[in-house]
Amino acid sequence: MNFFEHRDGEMFAENIKVSEIAKSISTPFYLYSTASLTYQFNQIKEAFRNTDHLICYAVKANTNQAVIKTLGDLGAGADVVSEGEMRRVLKAGIPACKIVYSGVAKTAQEMTFALEQGIYQFNVESEPELYQLSEVASSMDKTADITFRVNPDVDAKTHAKISTGKSENKFGIPWGNVREICQRASKLPGINLVGLDLHIGSQITKLEPFEEAFTLVAGLVKLLREDGHNITRLDLGGGLGISYECNDLPPLPSDYAKMVKRVTEHLGCRIILEPGRFLVGNAGILVSTVVYIKDGEERKFLIVDAAMNDLIRPSMYDAYHEIVPVLESNEEILLYDIVGPVCETGDSFASNRPITSMKTGDLLAIRSVGAYGAVMSSTYNTRKLIPEVLVKDDKFAVVRPRPTYEEIINLDHIAPWLSE
Ligand code: LLP
């Protein structure tokens, strides 16, 4: 479902013209659709309706509290990877009992905070982390419910930078060590082993890698039960891909759910899911204005007011994002390099992209940027972080305003010896 459609040549976000929002908020800005978030969440919920499950939105994909709250109000829990994310999630109203805590470098301070809040589970990624958690929890007279994140050494067949389930990746307990570590965990104070966890990568567009990994983990659950562990939860991570190009056909949540059932149902475990991109990726666009059109010797450059600091995915992962004019026209189609103002050649959103002839001041929409867009932005080149706007039907609200230059510049302090 596309909630950013053109009607009579005008792009709408749900039931409001994108150009109207651009009139009141200067570009560039992120624009999110509530209906899209809701639709995506309900697809997963529906797919797992007959399974005991908890959908923990991986908030790293988009940590705007309005987005978290929209999903939280629909029943989502959260997967967090830092105290900062935990604080945001709690502030947005998701209760601690629906929070799972992932990440390879949880500090004692972060563990203390999570235990004070009473989160649902820690996904422990290494033996040193296990000992640290045992120490922190027992000193607080608490017991931490944990899963071990295991590394099944499965190729997720996605971009190398977002592949996490191969043995050379830093994530999870090495497959061959899991039984031994579980034995040690069962003797530690402050630790209650309740399950296993895995996350093999992101933007996975085939079911096979998931199935291979889940089958391995299901086998491991059996072994651990034979070893006497009471394994009741299986956290399957996130990773379900979305369509970035109109002919991409990622797996349907219903097919993903059927496969999960087939592979894990016999275990009777509660299933935890950590979708990020699937929930928010297609729920966001980035609206930008053409600043200049420059005819290079070999290329035609469309220089826009958004840059790699606002959306790093094309520069960082060579990611493809559809880019469309907000107002359609019957002009001829030209090939453009769509680039930003940052002083790097890598500051490019697309090269040789066919698009109808544009002029200065025209609006463009970069699609599918709801996930890993705003959250990965920076103020590189002392550019202001761009606003985030949430639409619901024919209403919109700025859910993160554009900061002022003072707010950015005053973060620096002149060292005392410099001001003498
Ligand atoms: N759970 C864990 C433990 C994760 O590390 C991640 C993502 C997720 C869940 C959510 O995965 P998703 O459902 O969104 O695929 N910045 C990259 C993506 C990095 C993903 C990091 N981990 C990008 O822009 O493609």
Side-chain angles (χ1 to χ4, degrees):
M1 277 286 274
N2 181 4
F3 294 89
F4 299 97
E5 293 177 314
H6 283 86
R7 293 182 208 150
D8 295 328
E10 267 257 16
M11 189 181 215
F12 278 72
E14 300 191 20
N15 286 317
I16 183 161
K17 286 179 180 167
V18 171
S19 59
E20 217 159 272
I21 302 173
K23 257 184 226 154
S24 88
I25 296 154
S26 53
T27 61
F29 60 87
Y30 278 102
L31 187 58
Y32 308 134
S33 154
T34 302
S36 176
L37 296 170
T38 308
Y39 181 82
Q40 293 299 102
F41 182 82
N42 285 338
Q43 273 204 71
I44 302 195
K45 192 172 149 189
E46 178 59 23
F48 282 90
R49 74 179 185 286
N50 294 323
T51 304
D52 177 23
H53 74 278
L54 179 62
I55 303 170
C56 291
Y57 165 47
V59 300
K60 65 171 76 65
N62 187 321
T63 41
N64 191 291
Q65 285 173 63
V67 170
I68 298 174
K69 181 152 173 51
T70 301
L71 292 169
D73 287 353
L74 294 167
D79 166 50
V80 303
V81 290
S82 67
E83 183 175 336
E85 283 192 353
M86 221 174 321
R87 286 179 182 270
R88 267 179 196 266
V89 161
L90 291 166
K91 193 154 176 240
I94 294 185
C97 63
K98 285 185 174 179
I99 296 178
V100 300
Y101 186 10
S102 305
V104 291
K106 303 174 191 81
T107 63
Q109 185 192 319
E110 290 180 308
M111 289 170 175
T112 306
F113 181 76
L115 286 162
E116 279 165 1
Q117 303 304 314
I119 65 163
Y120 187 56
Q121 82 189 24
F122 290 78
N123 294 335
V124 174
E125 299 226 15
S126 67
E127 207 172 346
E129 181 191 335
L130 171 70
Y131 295 133
Q132 177 73 82
L133 183 58
S134 164
E135 203 179 303
V136 173
S138 45
S139 75
M140 293 169 73
D141 245 343
K142 291 194 185 282
T143 300
D145 284 340
I146 71 155
T147 69
F148 278 117
R149 176 169 176 181
V150 296
N151 185 322
D153 194 20
V154 164
D155 184 355
K157 304 212 164 55
T158 183
H159 192 287
K161 284 191 184 157
I162 53 175
S163 186
T164 51
K166 288 285 291 167
S167 58
E168 69 257 30
N169 301 136
K170 69 179 172 184
F171 301 97
I173 309 273
W175 193 255
N177 301 355
V178 179
R179 284 177 87 175
E180 204 181 310
I181 292 178
C182 288
Q183 282 309 108
R184 292 194 197 132
S186 63
K187 298 190 185 88
L188 285 176
I191 296 290
N192 180 31
L193 173 63
V194 294
L196 291 181
D197 163 49
L198 77 166
H199 171 78
I200 59 170
S202 194
Q203 185 53 16
I204 300 171
T205 52
K206 296 268 179 299
L207 284 180
E208 288 74 21
F210 287 121
E211 178 156 2
E212 189 185 341
F214 299 167
T215 306
L216 286 168
V217 168
L220 191 54
V221 169
K222 274 196 176 162
L223 291 178
L224 293 177
R225 283 181 174 166
E226 282 165 27
D227 291 346
H229 304 291
N230 187 18
I231 304 294
T232 56
R233 298 181 200 167
L234 256 189
D235 183 335
L236 302 178
L240 198 54
I242 60 166
S243 128
Y244 281 96
E245 295 189 52
C246 54
N247 44 6
D248 283 347
L249 283 176
L252 294 171
S254 50
D255 290 335
Y256 174 84
K258 267 187 221 147
M259 178 274 291
V260 168
K261 255 194 178 177
R262 192 172 65 245
V263 176
T264 67
E265 198 175 28
H266 63 286
L267 299 169
C269 283
R270 176 169 222 211
I271 299 296
I272 294 152
L273 305 160
E274 299 173 355
R277 190 187 314 264
F278 181 83
L279 294 177
V280 297
N282 280 322
I285 60 172
L286 197 168
V287 183
S288 181
T289 301
V290 176
V291 183
Y292 294 118
I293 295 165
K294 174 167 159 177
D295 287 317
E297 263 179 27
E298 290 173 25
R299 303 280 179 116
K300 220 174 171 48
F301 295 101
L302 210 50
I303 305 176
V304 299
D305 60 1
M308 66 189 288
N309 70 298
D310 306 311
L311 174 69
I312 196 126
R313 301 196 71 257
S315 318
M316 192 156 173
Y317 313 110
D318 297 318
Y320 177 95
H321 286 266
E322 261 184 23
I323 303 179
V324 293
V326 168
L327 287 181
E328 286 174 337
S329 74
N330 295 322
E331 298 290 324
E332 60 174 327
I333 307 254
L334 298 175
L335 291 180
Y336 287 109
D337 274 21
I338 304 173
V339 300
V342 160
C343 301
E344 290 203 27
T345 301
D347 181 22
S348 171
F349 293 120
S351 92
N352 266 325
R353 186 67 69 84
I355 191 162
T356 47
S357 170
M358 306 289 296
K359 52 184 189 325
T360 295
D362 283 351
L363 293 171
L364 283 174
I366 308 180
R367 287 190 182 275
S368 311
V369 297
Y372 310 109
V375 282
M376 294 180 77
S377 60
S378 75
T379 55
Y380 185 39
N381 279 203
T382 308
R383 291 169 46 81
K384 296 174 181 176
L385 291 178
I386 68 176
E388 293 174 274
V389 180
L390 181 65
V391 165
K392 184 170 189 194
D393 192 20
D394 57 359
K395 298 186 290 287
F396 71 91
V398 177
V399 292
R400 185 176 74 184
R402 183 178 271 114
T404 61
Y405 280 121
E406 287 67 36
E407 280 165 336
I408 300 173
I409 293 168
N410 291 343
L411 288 171
D412 304 341
H413 289 234
I414 303 293
W417 60 87
L418 292 171
S419 47
E420 274 163 17

